Amino acid sequence: MESGRREDVSGLHKLEGSVERVIYANEENGYTICDLAASEDGEMITAVGVMPMIGAGDHLCLYGKWVHNPKYGRQFEVSQYERVMPADTASMLRYLASRAIKGIGPKTAQRIIDEFGEDSFDVMENHPEWLASIKGISMKTALAASESFREQAGIRFAMMFFRDYFGVATTVKIYKKWGSGAVDIAKKNPYRLCNEIEGIGFERADALAEGLGFQNDHLERVMSGLRYVLSQNAIQNGHVCLPREKLRDSAAQLLRVSPEQAEEGISLLLKSGALHYVLREGRAMIYNKISYEAEKYVAEKMILLDRMCASLDLRDIDRFIENEEAKCGIRYASLQKKAISDALRYGVMILTGGPGTGKTTVVRALIHIFDSMGYEIALAAPTGRAAKRLSEATSMEAKTLHRLLEMSFEGEERSAFNRNEHNLLDEQVIVVDEASMIDNALMCALLKAIKPGARLIVIGDSDQLPSVGAGNVLRDVIDSGRFATVRLNEIFRQASQSLIVTNAHAVNRGEMPDLTVKDNDFFFLRRGGDREIALTIADLCRNRLPRTYGNLARNGIQVIAPSRKGEAGTESLNLLLQATLNPPSRYLREHKFRDRIFREGDRVMQTRNNYDILWSRSYDDKTGSGIFNGDIGIIEEINEPESYMTILFDDRRLQYDFSLLEDLEHAYAVTVHKSQGSEYPIVILPMCTAAPMLLSRNLLYTAVTRAEKMVILVGREEIVAEMVANNRQTMRYTGLYEWLREEEGK
């Protein structure tokens, strides 16, 4: 008997019957719509839910609830299911005649049943050569039918074995990876699940291992736990590596084993090559293999690019700059000239500085100069919004880094870039903006695709928050002193009239922003408790700003909060703002996923890169794939019968399957970290209670610099002061700085 994940079935209706017809089946996630003939009275019922690999003739036991679909009427929504293989000859015949088995149709099915009767399934599984004695069945067909039959038996066995630990879709993924040996592999070493199957974490593999009787100090558990500690520190804290003693002690505490047992696991993993260590100032730093190779490669390739690029004569550089000034009718500031000169002289140049300091002016000049030299130029940024802003600022197409590198994603394999060391980018100049967002892995992928002799120009604000992913690439590169670096610090006249710009720089210097001005683009609304702050923000979004600023406010407000938690954190604000801005309506369809209700018209954010989801664009009929962590969209339509919603992410429209909703959340309010790389017309910041580590200067600075036209701080002045005074930098264990310093001397 096959089953979906076993849960408490109390409160669920039970329904038994035979599948008459499969209306729709998604092979990737198992979502199925079928017609079922109920056993009791033969009534035809439409069942919907995750039921992979079922076919006409299957006898099912379903647990779920009755729902009413506005378009398709009464349906049975399946939470769990069990499949019973046919036991009598009539049921066996119906099953085989349904073409569920490769090479077997109705006529052949009848001959098999006539010949072998109730032993037919045993023959198909264990004696396929006997089938070849039947007229019309060759040995090749018999063997193929047996293989198909055993495959279905194998998935049923896997479903039974894994049902207490994984959902149906995950079990299908396991079976696709290991086939009929899936159960034996998992029994022997359940920790291979979290090491080799995408989407299965250590905790779930550990739960299975506990169920199989694995002890806490089993070496496979210890080694898997050590790798888990490294990966969690990368995901949650941005560490590329960890000190050996920190890794040992953290793993020992998590796994409830002794430090000595954790140390033994580290030694074995180092010996196998799964982990690497580097000695830094007498301290052993432990990496996983991928992070170690990536960070080392970044240092080596950046220095190679810097050394191999041909330098222009200084007299030619001066002439280029003078011609550009004459053509554009402007005079570049001294540091802007130095930035242009360094980009023409060196293979790698870093340009940093705060808002209003003229970084974009430098980029425009470089584009014109390199273009006049006949160089091909690529502009890129980590996010779609950042790429769009770069395009608008330079009047030249800019791509996301993922698109530049031609990201692909096939089946259950990991994502890959088609542009790499074997298929280099054609451009001689690569300009990358918002580089503070680039993590260790993405920087490695970019550098692999840049051909030796090309120039790399890296632009970013090193005072903003570091990347969400592991690493601190921009700061490490700047701090190494290894490459030409220009920090622009002069605020130009037009920018100096903006309080957003001047207050951002004040915050960055550790000074209080001006909270008293009422007629500029930076406002402070004093409120007391967090609940009052939240209600004021809702009123601003619903009434005050739209009334004053019209469409700019209706389409351009983004609430950015320091924390997810609390009455003025993103979780509570999203509930409040959804109820305020997009309340329930009989005209708006909804879909509930866990504790969230998604509604047509909702503003939502993708929280994880998904490289294979397809999108289309209406204005040029272009199609493509991929949405990325931080992309914000609007739910246009919810299609309950077919289990997807249509979402518009900027100009990309896609069908978003319900099975992906784990990666979607509301985006009326987002955290500062999630806002990186984006700009919004109006930004509202709650100055409210949050963990001390979140009330920091660079977090406030990053939030303020997300605004294009207006910033509104709502809350308590003492919170603003606390953030300005707290210059606690995010500490990350990385080794890029040291790699760069070491490579310099080679």
mmCIF file of all heavy atoms in Angstrom, residues 264-299:
data_model
loop_
_atom_site.group_PDB
_atom_site.id
_atom_site.type_symbol
_atom_site.label_atom_id
_atom_site.label_comp_id
_atom_site.label_asym_id
_atom_site.label_seq_id
_atom_site.Cartn_x
_atom_site.Cartn_y
_atom_site.Cartn_z
ATOM 1 N N GLU A 264 36.966 14.266 15.863
ATOM 2 C CA GLU A 264 37.243 13.094 15.040
ATOM 3 C C GLU A 264 36.539 13.216 13.688
ATOM 4 O O GLU A 264 37.107 12.876 12.636
ATOM 5 C CB GLU A 264 36.776 11.821 15.754
ATOM 6 C CG GLU A 264 37.056 10.544 14.969
ATOM 7 C CD GLU A 264 36.493 9.289 15.628
ATOM 8 O OE1 GLU A 264 35.859 9.419 16.704
ATOM 9 O OE2 GLU A 264 36.668 8.196 15.064
ATOM 10 N N GLY A 265 35.302 13.705 13.697
ATOM 11 C CA GLY A 265 34.569 13.905 12.450
ATOM 12 C C GLY A 265 35.255 14.921 11.545
ATOM 13 O O GLY A 265 35.340 14.732 10.324
ATOM 14 N N ILE A 266 35.753 16.022 12.132
ATOM 15 C CA ILE A 266 36.473 17.034 11.346
ATOM 16 C C ILE A 266 37.702 16.414 10.688
ATOM 17 O O ILE A 266 37.965 16.623 9.489
ATOM 18 C CB ILE A 266 36.883 18.229 12.235
ATOM 19 C CG1 ILE A 266 35.639 18.992 12.712
ATOM 20 C CG2 ILE A 266 37.818 19.170 11.470
ATOM 21 C CD1 ILE A 266 35.935 20.096 13.710
ATOM 22 N N SER A 267 38.445 15.646 11.445
ATOM 23 C CA SER A 267 39.666 15.023 10.914
ATOM 24 C C SER A 267 39.344 14.100 9.740
ATOM 25 O O SER A 267 40.053 14.100 8.721
ATOM 26 C CB SER A 267 40.384 14.246 12.023
ATOM 27 O OG SER A 267 40.792 15.119 13.061
ATOM 28 N N LEU A 268 38.277 13.319 9.871
ATOM 29 C CA LEU A 268 37.908 12.402 8.794
ATOM 30 C C LEU A 268 37.461 13.165 7.546
ATOM 31 O O LEU A 268 37.793 12.780 6.412
ATOM 32 C CB LEU A 268 36.797 11.465 9.264
ATOM 33 C CG LEU A 268 37.213 10.378 10.267
ATOM 34 C CD1 LEU A 268 35.989 9.666 10.824
ATOM 35 C CD2 LEU A 268 38.149 9.365 9.597
ATOM 36 N N LEU A 269 36.711 14.241 7.734
ATOM 37 C CA LEU A 269 36.254 15.034 6.593
ATOM 38 C C LEU A 269 37.412 15.750 5.910
ATOM 39 O O LEU A 269 37.445 15.889 4.675
ATOM 40 C CB LEU A 269 35.195 16.042 7.041
ATOM 41 C CG LEU A 269 33.823 15.456 7.387
ATOM 42 C CD1 LEU A 269 32.966 16.474 8.125
ATOM 43 C CD2 LEU A 269 33.104 14.979 6.123
ATOM 44 N N LEU A 270 38.376 16.217 6.694
ATOM 45 C CA LEU A 270 39.570 16.833 6.107
ATOM 46 C C LEU A 270 40.369 15.807 5.312
ATOM 47 O O LEU A 270 40.850 16.081 4.202
ATOM 48 C CB LEU A 270 40.447 17.448 7.205
ATOM 49 C CG LEU A 270 39.919 18.716 7.869
ATOM 50 C CD1 LEU A 270 40.761 19.075 9.090
ATOM 51 C CD2 LEU A 270 39.909 19.882 6.874
ATOM 52 N N LYS A 271 40.469 14.623 5.863
ATOM 53 C CA LYS A 271 41.227 13.556 5.196
ATOM 54 C C LYS A 271 40.563 13.149 3.881
ATOM 55 O O LYS A 271 41.246 12.867 2.883
ATOM 56 C CB LYS A 271 41.335 12.344 6.124
ATOM 57 C CG LYS A 271 42.231 11.236 5.591
ATOM 58 C CD LYS A 271 42.358 10.112 6.612
ATOM 59 C CE LYS A 271 43.252 8.991 6.076
ATOM 60 N NZ LYS A 271 43.386 7.889 7.074
ATOM 61 N N SER A 272 39.237 13.150 3.853
ATOM 62 C CA SER A 272 38.511 12.746 2.644
ATOM 63 C C SER A 272 38.480 13.847 1.589
ATOM 64 O O SER A 272 38.120 13.588 0.436
ATOM 65 C CB SER A 272 37.080 12.356 3.001
ATOM 66 O OG SER A 272 36.314 13.511 3.354
ATOM 67 N N GLY A 273 38.817 15.073 1.967
ATOM 68 C CA GLY A 273 38.758 16.191 1.032
ATOM 69 C C GLY A 273 37.429 16.905 1.010
ATOM 70 O O GLY A 273 37.249 17.865 0.256
ATOM 71 N N ALA A 274 36.457 16.442 1.828
ATOM 72 C CA ALA A 274 35.153 17.116 1.884
ATOM 73 C C ALA A 274 35.277 18.484 2.547
ATOM 74 O O ALA A 274 34.514 19.407 2.242
ATOM 75 C CB ALA A 274 34.142 16.262 2.634
ATOM 76 N N LEU A 275 36.228 18.621 3.487
ATOM 77 C CA LEU A 275 36.536 19.901 4.120
ATOM 78 C C LEU A 275 37.991 20.256 3.847
ATOM 79 O O LEU A 275 38.828 19.384 3.598
ATOM 80 C CB LEU A 275 36.294 19.851 5.626
ATOM 81 C CG LEU A 275 34.875 19.551 6.131
ATOM 82 C CD1 LEU A 275 34.831 19.663 7.650
ATOM 83 C CD2 LEU A 275 33.843 20.470 5.496
ATOM 84 N N HIS A 276 38.283 21.562 3.912
ATOM 85 C CA HIS A 276 39.654 22.049 3.762
ATOM 86 C C HIS A 276 39.953 22.994 4.918
ATOM 87 O O HIS A 276 39.043 23.597 5.487
ATOM 88 C CB HIS A 276 39.820 22.811 2.445
ATOM 89 C CG HIS A 276 39.802 21.928 1.238
ATOM 90 N ND1 HIS A 276 40.931 21.553 0.577
ATOM 91 C CD2 HIS A 276 38.768 21.342 0.570
ATOM 92 C CE1 HIS A 276 40.615 20.772 -0.453
ATOM 93 N NE2 HIS A 276 39.294 20.633 -0.470
ATOM 94 N N TYR A 277 41.240 23.121 5.249
ATOM 95 C CA TYR A 277 41.580 24.109 6.262
ATOM 96 C C TYR A 277 42.738 24.967 5.778
ATOM 97 O O TYR A 277 43.567 24.554 4.970
ATOM 98 C CB TYR A 277 41.904 23.444 7.604
ATOM 99 C CG TYR A 277 43.332 22.978 7.750
ATOM 100 C CD1 TYR A 277 44.286 23.780 8.370
ATOM 101 C CD2 TYR A 277 43.728 21.726 7.283
ATOM 102 C CE1 TYR A 277 45.598 23.356 8.509
ATOM 103 C CE2 TYR A 277 45.020 21.283 7.419
ATOM 104 C CZ TYR A 277 45.961 22.111 8.028
ATOM 105 O OH TYR A 277 47.255 21.692 8.154
ATOM 106 N N VAL A 278 42.755 26.205 6.273
ATOM 107 C CA VAL A 278 43.820 27.157 5.978
ATOM 108 C C VAL A 278 44.268 27.747 7.299
ATOM 109 O O VAL A 278 43.432 28.101 8.143
ATOM 110 C CB VAL A 278 43.328 28.276 5.034
ATOM 111 C CG1 VAL A 278 44.438 29.281 4.777
ATOM 112 C CG2 VAL A 278 42.825 27.699 3.725
ATOM 113 N N LEU A 279 45.561 27.866 7.493
ATOM 114 C CA LEU A 279 46.100 28.426 8.730
ATOM 115 C C LEU A 279 46.205 29.931 8.584
ATOM 116 O O LEU A 279 46.884 30.437 7.675
ATOM 117 C CB LEU A 279 47.473 27.811 9.013
ATOM 118 C CG LEU A 279 47.912 27.742 10.480
ATOM 119 C CD1 LEU A 279 46.918 26.947 11.312
ATOM 120 C CD2 LEU A 279 49.309 27.150 10.580
ATOM 121 N N ARG A 280 45.505 30.665 9.447
ATOM 122 C CA ARG A 280 45.538 32.123 9.439
ATOM 123 C C ARG A 280 45.968 32.620 10.811
ATOM 124 O O ARG A 280 45.234 32.462 11.795
ATOM 125 C CB ARG A 280 44.156 32.705 9.111
ATOM 126 C CG ARG A 280 43.583 32.283 7.755
ATOM 127 C CD ARG A 280 44.353 32.889 6.618
ATOM 128 N NE ARG A 280 43.713 32.626 5.333
ATOM 129 C CZ ARG A 280 44.340 32.642 4.170
ATOM 130 N NH1 ARG A 280 45.643 32.899 4.139
ATOM 131 N NH2 ARG A 280 43.696 32.407 3.048
ATOM 132 N N GLU A 281 47.158 33.194 10.862
ATOM 133 C CA GLU A 281 47.688 33.729 12.128
ATOM 134 C C GLU A 281 47.603 32.682 13.230
ATOM 135 O O GLU A 281 47.176 32.965 14.354
ATOM 136 C CB GLU A 281 46.935 35.001 12.520
ATOM 137 C CG GLU A 281 47.070 36.121 11.495
ATOM 138 C CD GLU A 281 46.303 37.373 11.889
ATOM 139 O OE1 GLU A 281 45.595 37.335 12.922
ATOM 140 O OE2 GLU A 281 46.422 38.383 11.179
ATOM 141 N N GLY A 282 48.006 31.469 12.881
ATOM 142 C CA GLY A 282 48.045 30.396 13.862
ATOM 143 C C GLY A 282 46.702 29.760 14.162
ATOM 144 O O GLY A 282 46.610 28.880 15.014
ATOM 145 N N ARG A 283 45.669 30.158 13.435
ATOM 146 C CA ARG A 283 44.325 29.642 13.682
ATOM 147 C C ARG A 283 43.839 28.885 12.456
ATOM 148 O O ARG A 283 43.889 29.413 11.327
ATOM 149 C CB ARG A 283 43.378 30.806 13.977
ATOM 150 C CG ARG A 283 42.042 30.411 14.562
ATOM 151 C CD ARG A 283 41.202 31.663 14.806
ATOM 152 N NE ARG A 283 40.126 31.391 15.743
ATOM 153 C CZ ARG A 283 39.150 32.255 16.013
ATOM 154 N NH1 ARG A 283 39.121 33.432 15.415
ATOM 155 N NH2 ARG A 283 38.212 31.947 16.885
ATOM 156 N N ALA A 284 43.368 27.661 12.654
ATOM 157 C CA ALA A 284 42.888 26.843 11.535
ATOM 158 C C ALA A 284 41.470 27.257 11.172
ATOM 159 O O ALA A 284 40.567 27.213 12.007
ATOM 160 C CB ALA A 284 42.928 25.368 11.910
ATOM 161 N N MET A 285 41.266 27.655 9.908
ATOM 162 C CA MET A 285 39.949 28.013 9.394
ATOM 163 C C MET A 285 39.466 26.878 8.498
ATOM 164 O O MET A 285 40.182 26.439 7.588
ATOM 165 C CB MET A 285 40.011 29.318 8.598
ATOM 166 C CG MET A 285 40.607 30.489 9.370
ATOM 167 S SD MET A 285 39.671 30.913 10.869
ATOM 168 C CE MET A 285 38.140 31.498 10.158
ATOM 169 N N ILE A 286 38.241 26.412 8.754
ATOM 170 C CA ILE A 286 37.704 25.251 8.052
ATOM 171 C C ILE A 286 36.685 25.694 7.007
ATOM 172 O O ILE A 286 35.772 26.465 7.295
ATOM 173 C CB ILE A 286 37.034 24.267 9.022
ATOM 174 C CG1 ILE A 286 37.989 23.893 10.153
ATOM 175 C CG2 ILE A 286 36.557 23.027 8.273
ATOM 176 C CD1 ILE A 286 39.209 23.123 9.720
ATOM 177 N N TYR A 287 36.849 25.184 5.786
ATOM 178 C CA TYR A 287 35.953 25.452 4.664
ATOM 179 C C TYR A 287 35.322 24.154 4.188
ATOM 180 O O TYR A 287 35.942 23.092 4.293
ATOM 181 C CB TYR A 287 36.734 25.992 3.458
ATOM 182 C CG TYR A 287 37.354 27.346 3.563
ATOM 183 C CD1 TYR A 287 38.533 27.550 4.268
ATOM 184 C CD2 TYR A 287 36.805 28.426 2.883
ATOM 185 C CE1 TYR A 287 39.142 28.798 4.315
ATOM 186 C CE2 TYR A 287 37.403 29.680 2.917
ATOM 187 C CZ TYR A 287 38.572 29.857 3.634
ATOM 188 O OH TYR A 287 39.162 31.092 3.663
ATOM 189 N N ASN A 288 34.137 24.257 3.579
ATOM 190 C CA ASN A 288 33.726 23.131 2.752
ATOM 191 C C ASN A 288 34.443 23.254 1.413
ATOM 192 O O ASN A 288 34.992 24.306 1.066
ATOM 193 C CB ASN A 288 32.205 23.037 2.593
ATOM 194 C CG ASN A 288 31.605 24.164 1.784
ATOM 195 O OD1 ASN A 288 32.180 24.644 0.812
ATOM 196 N ND2 ASN A 288 30.418 24.613 2.188
ATOM 197 N N LYS A 289 34.449 22.194 0.656
ATOM 198 C CA LYS A 289 35.263 22.129 -0.567
ATOM 199 C C LYS A 289 34.888 23.213 -1.573
ATOM 200 O O LYS A 289 35.761 23.885 -2.150
ATOM 201 C CB LYS A 289 35.109 20.745 -1.205
ATOM 202 C CG LYS A 289 36.005 20.468 -2.396
ATOM 203 C CD LYS A 289 35.829 19.016 -2.833
ATOM 204 C CE LYS A 289 36.822 18.648 -3.940
ATOM 205 N NZ LYS A 289 36.521 19.327 -5.211
ATOM 206 N N ILE A 290 33.596 23.425 -1.778
ATOM 207 C CA ILE A 290 33.147 24.386 -2.783
ATOM 208 C C ILE A 290 33.543 25.807 -2.399
ATOM 209 O O ILE A 290 34.061 26.577 -3.221
ATOM 210 C CB ILE A 290 31.624 24.273 -2.987
ATOM 211 C CG1 ILE A 290 31.275 22.919 -3.608
ATOM 212 C CG2 ILE A 290 31.103 25.405 -3.869
ATOM 213 C CD1 ILE A 290 29.790 22.654 -3.721
ATOM 214 N N SER A 291 33.325 26.187 -1.142
ATOM 215 C CA SER A 291 33.654 27.548 -0.695
ATOM 216 C C SER A 291 35.145 27.805 -0.741
ATOM 217 O O SER A 291 35.600 28.898 -1.098
ATOM 218 C CB SER A 291 33.122 27.774 0.721
ATOM 219 O OG SER A 291 31.723 27.689 0.748
ATOM 220 N N TYR A 292 35.915 26.798 -0.369
ATOM 221 C CA TYR A 292 37.383 26.918 -0.392
ATOM 222 C C TYR A 292 37.873 27.189 -1.815
ATOM 223 O O TYR A 292 38.646 28.130 -2.060
ATOM 224 C CB TYR A 292 37.994 25.630 0.149
ATOM 225 C CG TYR A 292 39.498 25.513 -0.019
ATOM 226 C CD1 TYR A 292 40.370 26.110 0.878
ATOM 227 C CD2 TYR A 292 40.028 24.788 -1.082
ATOM 228 C CE1 TYR A 292 41.746 25.994 0.719
ATOM 229 C CE2 TYR A 292 41.399 24.667 -1.253
ATOM 230 C CZ TYR A 292 42.257 25.259 -0.353
ATOM 231 O OH TYR A 292 43.625 25.149 -0.517
ATOM 232 N N GLU A 293 37.405 26.388 -2.743
ATOM 233 C CA GLU A 293 37.864 26.532 -4.119
ATOM 234 C C GLU A 293 37.383 27.851 -4.726
ATOM 235 O O GLU A 293 38.111 28.503 -5.483
ATOM 236 C CB GLU A 293 37.380 25.349 -4.956
ATOM 237 C CG GLU A 293 38.048 24.042 -4.567
ATOM 238 C CD GLU A 293 37.498 22.840 -5.311
ATOM 239 O OE1 GLU A 293 36.445 22.996 -5.984
ATOM 240 O OE2 GLU A 293 38.104 21.759 -5.229
ATOM 241 N N ALA A 294 36.161 28.266 -4.377
ATOM 242 C CA ALA A 294 35.608 29.501 -4.924
ATOM 243 C C ALA A 294 36.385 30.717 -4.432
ATOM 244 O O ALA A 294 36.758 31.593 -5.222
ATOM 245 C CB ALA A 294 34.134 29.632 -4.549
ATOM 246 N N GLU A 295 36.627 30.802 -3.142
ATOM 247 C CA GLU A 295 37.311 31.970 -2.592
ATOM 248 C C GLU A 295 38.744 32.062 -3.115
ATOM 249 O O GLU A 295 39.224 33.154 -3.458
ATOM 250 C CB GLU A 295 37.296 31.911 -1.061
ATOM 251 C CG GLU A 295 37.675 33.225 -0.419
ATOM 252 C CD GLU A 295 37.510 33.195 1.088
ATOM 253 O OE1 GLU A 295 38.271 32.457 1.744
ATOM 254 O OE2 GLU A 295 36.628 33.898 1.606
ATOM 255 N N LYS A 296 39.413 30.953 -3.178
ATOM 256 C CA LYS A 296 40.787 30.931 -3.696
ATOM 257 C C LYS A 296 40.806 31.352 -5.168
ATOM 258 O O LYS A 296 41.679 32.102 -5.611
ATOM 259 C CB LYS A 296 41.385 29.530 -3.523
ATOM 260 C CG LYS A 296 42.887 29.440 -3.668
ATOM 261 C CD LYS A 296 43.374 28.073 -3.205
ATOM 262 C CE LYS A 296 44.897 28.005 -3.181
ATOM 263 N NZ LYS A 296 45.493 28.073 -4.529
ATOM 264 N N TYR A 297 39.825 30.875 -5.924
ATOM 265 C CA TYR A 297 39.758 31.224 -7.340
ATOM 266 C C TYR A 297 39.519 32.721 -7.525
ATOM 267 O O TYR A 297 40.108 33.344 -8.419
ATOM 268 C CB TYR A 297 38.654 30.431 -8.029
ATOM 269 C CG TYR A 297 38.582 30.702 -9.516
ATOM 270 C CD1 TYR A 297 39.337 29.956 -10.405
ATOM 271 C CD2 TYR A 297 37.767 31.722 -10.024
ATOM 272 C CE1 TYR A 297 39.290 30.216 -11.771
ATOM 273 C CE2 TYR A 297 37.717 31.992 -11.377
ATOM 274 C CZ TYR A 297 38.477 31.235 -12.252
ATOM 275 O OH TYR A 297 38.444 31.507 -13.595
ATOM 276 N N VAL A 298 38.637 33.313 -6.727
ATOM 277 C CA VAL A 298 38.349 34.745 -6.836
ATOM 278 C C VAL A 298 39.638 35.552 -6.715
ATOM 279 O O VAL A 298 39.907 36.460 -7.520
ATOM 280 C CB VAL A 298 37.328 35.188 -5.764
ATOM 281 C CG1 VAL A 298 37.242 36.708 -5.687
ATOM 282 C CG2 VAL A 298 35.954 34.612 -6.075
ATOM 283 N N ALA A 299 40.455 35.229 -5.717
ATOM 284 C CA ALA A 299 41.708 35.960 -5.524
ATOM 285 C C ALA A 299 42.647 35.775 -6.711
ATOM 286 O O ALA A 299 43.215 36.747 -7.237
ATOM 287 C CB ALA A 299 42.380 35.495 -4.235
#
